Amino acid sequence: MIHRYTTSIMNQGIRLSRVMIYLIGMIAISCEQFVSIDPPRTQIVSEAVFQDDQSALSAIKGIYSAMISTTGFADGGGSSLCVLTGMSADELISYSTSPDYNGFYTNTLTAGNTVLQGNLWALGYKYIFYANTILEGLQNSKGGLSQPTVAQLEGEAKFVRAFCHFYLVNLFGDVPLVTSPDYRVNKDASRIKEGSVYDQIISDLKDAQRLLPSDYSVSTGERIRPNTWAATAMLARVYLYQKNWAEAESEATKIISNTGLFQLSTDLNQVFLKNSSEAIWQLKPVDPGLNTREGNLFILKSIPNNVSLTNDFITSFESNDNRFTNWVGSYNSGATVYYYPYKYKIFTGNAPFNEYSMVLRLAEQYLIRAEARAQSGNLAGAVADTDVIRSRAGLPLISTIEPGVSKNELLLSIEQERKVELFTEWGHRWLDLKRTDRATPVLSLIKNDWQPDDALYAIPQVEINNDPNLNPQNPGY
């Protein structure tokens, strides 16, 4: 499964974990000028990295630098989760000339798609591998780290591992559960049932919730390192996806109640600024000349050659929705108007950066709790949470215009609010349609030749060739 990364290293007789710890340290140095790590050639690199707090912490920070700077998966660019899943759903039109790229838009993916393999599957497991390498390094460290640093590193590594497994299992279905950096184990890994993957995700997030601090002190007040609230936010989402309504409501409530740290921005143009009051976890840009790759990709300065918003999405906004006014931009070419996501306002710009890439934010927690409450029969509570989001958007309140709303009607209203609130953020729309069994009813009306099997991406064929235990392939491929 991961042996594309291991073959040359194996041939040199070098343990993979040692090399990758060193690479994580190097990523940290190149991207954020963290402390330099220059281990003696006669010593194991992992021992050098984990001999003191500063060096060890540079390794975990290197993972986030890799996530935001490596093309695909988490970087917000054209091959990232937010764009590829946006094309698979009903958010984005593709103008690319690449068949592999357009396969997401036309829902004609094949198992040989190189974007699917390289930018989603491989990178997701690469970051899991980094996290596992850090966890192994902690186990093998020789007492040079303080206990708070050990807890911090373990919590962050488990959070990253859970976060990436969450996306892999939702995009591909049954997937390998990787909890070790040992290539001898991973190269023959088998797919396991989604439920077992979720069990590990929940276990990792609970550990992270317990181990991580409840403030942002480790990142000097910036919201760029996961803490207990990031773990809580992910737990709320995971419980929602698992239809554990009580736990989803409970975890979301913990964050919503923490008004000292988290508040909805009344100005929609403030939401995606760095360290906004709504941010639970952001990724800090590291590219010279850019703020976010989302802003650089989405904002149109000419006729689009990448993506723009679909007409179906544009017409789904209610009249006078402030999110349309503030979060959707337009570019006119003659009589043709192209609309684009405008949550991020900065196309290019050198440091200091004013916008950070948003990963987790408070508005989602209100919508998680609203859905969980509606599913549990607490319609009044669900309406109240939904109306918080609608009020900020300048829309009439459901409690006023639909005081007798039914459960099914309310769930559709919450689906709509998630659609126009969380669009082009981390695949929410695509995953929402899938988890609620709404993909076929919605997408079959607007997608040519939509098939229910399209809701799961193919297991990359190159990975199956390397590891036959990944069979059977997902249906339809």
Side-chain angles (χ1 to χ4, degrees), residues 88-139:
S88 292
D90 52 0
E91 294 177 325
L92 296 173
I93 302 170
S94 171
Y95 300 95
S96 173
T97 58
S98 164
D100 280 356
Y101 196 71
N102 282 334
F104 290 87
Y105 174 55
T106 57
N107 301 101
T108 56
L109 292 175
T110 67
N113 187 293
T114 58
V115 176
L116 181 76
Q117 190 276 332
N119 298 102
L120 294 181
W121 178 280
L123 282 183
Y125 278 111
K126 187 175 185 178
Y127 302 140
I128 290 171
F129 176 74
Y130 286 172
N132 286 335
T133 306
I134 285 179
L135 291 170
E136 182 190 67
L138 290 174
Q139 291 176 352

Side-chain angles (χ1 to χ4, degrees), residues 152-413:
Q152 182 75 38
L153 290 173
E154 181 183 349
E156 288 190 68
K158 286 186 173 181
F159 175 88
V160 169
R161 185 168 71 183
F163 182 81
C164 293
H165 272 128
F166 170 84
Y167 278 100
L168 289 165
V169 77
N170 276 284
L171 295 177
F172 297 99
D174 298 345
V175 294
L177 177 63
V178 179
T179 58
S180 166
D182 191 336
Y183 70 86
R184 293 165 297 187
V185 175
N186 297 335
K187 70 183 180 68
D188 297 320
S190 300
R191 300 171 70 185
I192 68 171
K193 294 297 184 182
E194 289 184 29
S196 296
V197 179
Y198 268 115
D199 287 344
Q200 183 64 51
I201 290 170
I202 291 170
S203 176
D204 280 347
L205 289 174
K206 285 184 174 180
D207 283 348
Q209 192 180 46
R210 171 179 54 84
L211 291 164
L212 292 175
S214 59
D215 58 19
Y216 294 96
S217 56
V218 297
S219 50
T220 61
E222 292 209 290
R223 303 183 179 211
I224 56 174
R225 299 269 295 277
N227 61 8
T228 188
W229 301 112
T232 302
M234 280 302 298
L235 269 174
R237 185 193 297 177
V238 167
Y239 284 134
L240 185 78
Y241 278 47
Q242 291 285 282
K243 300 183 179 181
N244 187 337
W245 314 125
E247 292 294 343
E249 177 179 356
S250 175
E251 297 300 321
T253 298
K254 292 175 184 177
I255 297 176
I256 293 169
S257 299
N258 188 358
T259 55
L261 269 185
F262 308 112
Q263 295 183 6
L264 291 180
S265 301
T266 55
D267 182 353
L268 289 169
N269 290 314
Q270 302 291 314
V271 172
F272 294 89
L273 297 182
K274 64 179 183 180
N275 306 313
S276 79
S277 63
E278 189 165 330
I280 300 171
W281 178 39
Q282 297 175 302
L283 288 170
K284 184 176 182 177
V286 297
D287 291 331
L290 295 180
N291 269 232
T292 65
R293 291 191 181 181
E294 291 96 333
N296 186 250
L297 174 80
F298 287 138
I299 297 173
L300 295 181
K301 302 291 186 179
S302 61
I303 294 175
N305 57 15
N306 288 308
V307 293
S308 70
L309 291 169
T310 67
N311 185 63
D312 291 283
F313 178 76
I314 290 299
T315 57
S316 70
F317 282 93
E318 295 178 51
S319 299
N320 302 315
D321 190 328
N322 290 333
R323 289 167 295 197
F324 180 82
T325 305
N326 292 278
W327 288 352
V328 175
S330 62
Y331 175 82
N332 290 36
S333 176
T336 304
V337 181
Y338 299 95
Y339 293 95
Y340 58 86
Y342 197 40
K343 292 178 172 180
Y344 299 93
K345 313 296 185 185
I346 302 174
F347 181 70
T348 59
N350 293 316
F353 300 114
N354 294 315
E355 295 177 341
Y356 291 171
S357 184
M358 185 75 76
V359 188
L360 298 169
R361 63 186 179 98
L362 180 60
E364 182 197 356
Q365 299 301 309
Y366 275 101
L367 293 170
I368 286 173
R369 193 170 73 173
E371 186 175 340
R373 285 176 165 178
Q375 291 284 9
S376 300
N378 180 5
L379 300 191
V383 167
D385 282 338
T386 309
D387 278 348
V388 169
I389 302 302
R390 289 181 61 85
S391 176
R392 180 174 69 167
L395 295 177
L397 304 184
I398 294 176
S399 58
T400 301
I401 60 175
E402 295 183 86
V405 64
S406 69
K407 175 181 175 179
N408 288 339
E409 291 169 338
L410 182 55
L411 287 171
L412 288 175
S413 294

